[in-house]
């Protein structure tokens, strides 16, 4: 699902709506995604995500900053990774994701972050 390309660039492929729901961070102002990774990041680090989203024909390049870290061995057996808030210029990606998710945004299903 994910491969670290270099320290500040990640590749994320989301193939279905349940994976998108689990990864999407709707509570962030610009929206964001949880990216599974074992690479070390700090809050505020800037990253680039090369995002393959569902059946979209093109890979989306999304920039953002780390606002969430789930360390290895986190309580509740949560997946190790980072939450990246989209930059203002990439906020349109959150609109695209929200259109895909529709009513499931209000779902109480567990996500990777909350």
């Amino acid at each position: 699902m994910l491969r670290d390309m270099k320290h500040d660039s990640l590749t994320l492929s989301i193939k279905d709506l349940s994976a998108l729901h689990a990864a999407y961070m709707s509570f962030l102002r610009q929206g964001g995604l949880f990216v599974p990774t074992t690479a070390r990041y700090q809050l505020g680090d800037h990253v680039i995500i090369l995002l393959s989203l569902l059946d979209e024909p093109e890979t989306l390049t999304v920039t953002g900053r780390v606002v969430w870290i789930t360390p290895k061995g986190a309580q509740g057996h949560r997946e190790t990774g980072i939450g990246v808030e989209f930059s203002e210029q990439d906020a349109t990606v959150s609109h695209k994701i929200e259109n895909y998710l529709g009513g499931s945004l209000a779902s109480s299903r567990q996500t990777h972050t909350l």
Side-chain angles (χ1 to χ4, degrees):
M1 181 174 183
L2 173 85
R3 134 180 133 250
D4 294 331
M5 292 179 62
K6 59 183 185 179
H7 188 65
D8 63 348
S9 184
L10 301 162
T11 299
L12 178 62
S13 179
I14 298 178
K15 301 287 186 195
D16 60 58
L17 288 175
S18 68
L20 182 58
H21 180 268
Y24 185 57
M25 300 172 75
S26 63
F27 56 88
L28 297 173
R29 185 177 64 233
Q30 305 297 335
L33 285 170
F34 178 83
V35 182
T37 182
T38 56
R40 292 186 181 258
Y41 289 91
Q42 294 183 0
L43 294 176
D45 283 353
H46 291 272
V47 296
I48 298 167
I49 303 170
L50 303 175
L51 175 63
S52 296
L53 186 59
L54 303 172
D55 293 329
E56 295 273 329
E58 295 181 22
T59 299
L60 303 170
T61 301
V62 184
T63 59
R65 65 185 176 90
V66 176
V67 297
W68 182 284
I69 298 173
T70 303
K72 183 177 181 178
Q75 187 174 3
H77 305 289
R78 293 198 179 266
E79 188 163 9
T80 303
I82 58 173
V84 178
E85 181 176 27
F86 301 146
S87 63
E88 282 188 38
Q89 68 261 26
D90 289 325
T92 56
V93 175
S94 66
H95 298 301
K96 181 181 291 256
I97 290 171
E98 288 175 7
N99 284 336
Y100 277 121
L101 293 176
S104 71
L105 281 171
S107 170
S108 61
R109 287 185 296 172
Q110 186 173 1
T111 67
H112 291 299
T113 53
L114 297 177

